[in-house]
Amino acid sequence: MALFANETPCFSPSPRSRNMAFKARGGMNKLLPVIAFFLGAALTAAITFLGATLDVNWRISELASWGNVAHPEPSDEVKPFAELAQLLKNASMEDNTVIMTSINRAYAATGSLLDLFLESFRLGEGTARLLDHVLIVAVDPAALQRCRSVHRHCYLLGPPDGGADYSGEKYYMTKDYLEMMWARNQFQQTILELGFNFLFTDIDIMWFRNPLRHIAITSDMAVASDYFNGDPDSLRNRPNGGFLYVRSTNRTVEFYRRWRAARSWFPAGTNEQHILTEVQAQLSRQLGVRIQFLDTAHCGGFCQLTDDLRMVSTMHANCCTGLANKVADLRSVLRDWRNYTAAPPEVRREGLIRWTKPGKCIH
């Protein structure tokens, strides 16, 4: 065999051998595109599967920005939020995701919902480290002061000029409650415009495992529902905005803008959650926003209580009115979780420990 291009070969193949070699090469050339196609399809499927099933903290950053990755241009309304942007940067995960909740003076009081919320992270399986990524938004100075005494990342979001005092307990669907919910909605849009993904969680949700593992990498939004119909892609599910993940993209910011604008289509006193239920199908279709509804087996609540503690990630005191009622029944939830984690492994595997039925809440 020739070692260099200008050497004379030591043998000359027969015409028949050359013809057979040509046919072999021709057949291989036809197979190469087929092989390349199947290899590419297999690699794409593997990456998508891993991204959708692994804990978000293990995802590749580039995959976490699936689809439209262009961050929106900040509006004039978000430019003054330099302190907030720095807090978000300090609290965010590698993929710019921050866990966020909000409190007022009543929720932040010693022994109230804030204490139970933080305790659940410390009791949960692998959730204590997630506290480094939690931003607590206080809506009054007293709540901010209490937050800073127990947590690293705290931010004061006061009411708009002339707005209601948010410090006291707000009863469901009252005027002050509705104003507070729409202010929260506006603030969430600001987070997106600053280029951060968020997972908003109500303060009356207990965290026992990382729920981010249940959010598909292809989802622009993921939201809990009081009653899950079994299909995560079904827009017939009714969303509960108390547990909501949104990825920062141009299309999700526009989704929020149109969601807020739709308020004018409904009677005064309609809350943001009801409006989302009515417009989610239309906005999802128009903007190409994929909404995922989370299974209550993983992100559960009092409305549709599931008994399998082996699967639960979060537990929400939904279908419940009154701060004292929520606190009482969430203390029972924490007690049940302690009993579960203290049980022998064989008892836990068999799923013999169940949630105590809420005794104070209306459901």
Side-chain angles (χ1 to χ4, degrees):
M1 181 180 291
L3 297 178
F4 300 99
N6 59 353
E7 287 188 3
T8 303
C10 59
F11 68 92
S12 177
S14 67
R16 184 185 177 196
S17 298
R18 286 196 301 269
N19 188 46
M20 291 178 64
F22 174 78
K23 290 181 178 180
R25 286 195 299 271
M28 183 59 69
N29 288 338
K30 292 179 180 178
L31 284 174
L32 283 176
V34 178
I35 294 171
F37 171 80
F38 282 107
L39 285 175
L43 181 60
T44 300
I47 291 174
T48 302
F49 173 78
L50 289 173
T53 55
L54 291 178
D55 189 303
V56 72
N57 291 309
W58 292 92
R59 295 179 185 177
I60 303 172
S61 297
E62 288 77 8
L63 289 179
S65 299
W66 181 283
N68 181 1
V69 298
H71 291 310
E73 288 294 325
S75 66
D76 291 338
E77 294 178 349
V78 305
K79 290 178 181 177
F81 288 94
E83 178 192 358
L84 174 61
Q86 186 59 51
L87 281 170
L88 290 167
K89 182 178 179 181
N90 294 341
S92 62
M93 304 175 191
E94 290 183 0
D95 66 346
N96 273 7
T97 298
V98 64
I99 301 166
M100 184 170 62
T101 191
S102 61
I103 57 171
N104 61 11
R105 182 181 62 196
Y107 298 159
T110 302
S112 190
L113 293 176
L114 175 60
D115 286 347
L116 300 181
F117 177 78
L118 296 176
E119 185 179 0
S120 73
F121 278 84
R122 299 184 185 109
L123 292 174
E125 296 178 355
T127 48
R129 61 186 174 82
L130 294 177
L131 285 171
D132 291 337
H133 305 296
V134 174
L135 175 65
I136 299 177
V137 179
V139 297
D140 61 78
L144 178 67
Q145 182 178 5
R146 178 76 208 294
C147 177
R148 286 176 171 169
S149 71
V150 295
H151 188 64
R152 288 178 56 195
H153 307 299
C154 305
Y155 179 74
L156 177 62
L157 177 69
D161 293 339
D165 176 8
Y166 293 158
S167 61
E169 180 181 358
K170 302 303 176 189
Y171 293 97
Y172 183 67
M173 293 303 292
T174 61
K175 180 180 178 182
D176 287 354
Y177 172 88
L178 292 169
E179 185 175 329
M180 190 164 65
M181 291 302 99
W182 281 109
R184 182 180 79 180
N185 183 272
Q186 174 68 73
F187 185 70
Q188 290 173 348
Q189 180 179 323
T190 299
I191 302 297
L192 298 176
E193 291 180 331
L194 288 170
F196 291 87
N197 319 315
F198 68 79
L199 197 170
F200 179 83
T201 170
D202 272 345
I203 196 69
D204 62 346
I205 295 179
M206 303 294 100
W207 283 53
F208 299 121
R209 296 183 179 94
N210 188 350
L212 286 164
R213 71 185 65 186
H214 301 299
I215 297 174
I217 200 171
T218 53
S219 297
D220 296 300
M221 300 173 64
V223 62
S225 54
D226 291 340
Y227 301 95
F228 180 60
N229 70 9
D231 180 0
D233 295 314
S234 171
L235 294 172
R236 295 181 181 274
N237 285 297
R238 299 179 65 86
N240 185 322
F243 194 82
L244 173 65
Y245 167 85
V246 186
R247 191 155 49 87
S248 175
T249 64
N250 289 324
R251 58 179 177 263
T252 54
V253 169
E254 184 61 25
F255 187 102
Y256 260 76
R257 288 173 181 154
R258 297 189 190 186
W259 177 6
R260 291 176 55 76
R263 187 179 184 184
S264 63
W265 306 346
F266 294 84
T270 306
N271 70 359
E272 87 296 348
Q273 191 166 283
H274 176 78
I275 291 176
L276 177 60
T277 302
E278 296 300 317
V279 303
Q280 62 187 4
Q282 176 183 346
L283 295 186
S284 174
R285 181 176 63 255
Q286 290 175 346
L287 299 171
V289 170
R290 187 205 168 190
I291 303 175
Q292 174 190 353
F293 291 88
L294 299 169
D295 193 334
T296 50
H298 305 303
C299 300
F302 293 169
C303 295
Q304 192 175 36
L305 193 65
T306 57
D307 285 330
D308 197 342
L309 277 72
R310 298 169 299 178
M311 297 179 63
V312 69
S313 289
T314 60
M315 179 58 65
H316 191 181
N318 53 13
C319 291
C320 182
T321 60
L323 177 58
N325 293 331
K326 287 178 180 283
V327 169
D329 282 342
L330 287 176
R331 283 177 178 160
S332 295
V333 168
L334 292 178
R335 183 177 62 249
D336 291 342
W337 181 259
R338 289 192 195 93
N339 291 338
Y340 169 76
T341 55
E346 59 273 16
V347 174
R348 295 179 59 177
R349 283 195 298 270
E350 293 174 8
L352 299 178
I353 299 177
R354 306 295 178 89
W355 296 115
T356 300
K357 186 176 181 180
K360 297 287 186 180
C361 289
I362 301 171
H363 56 280

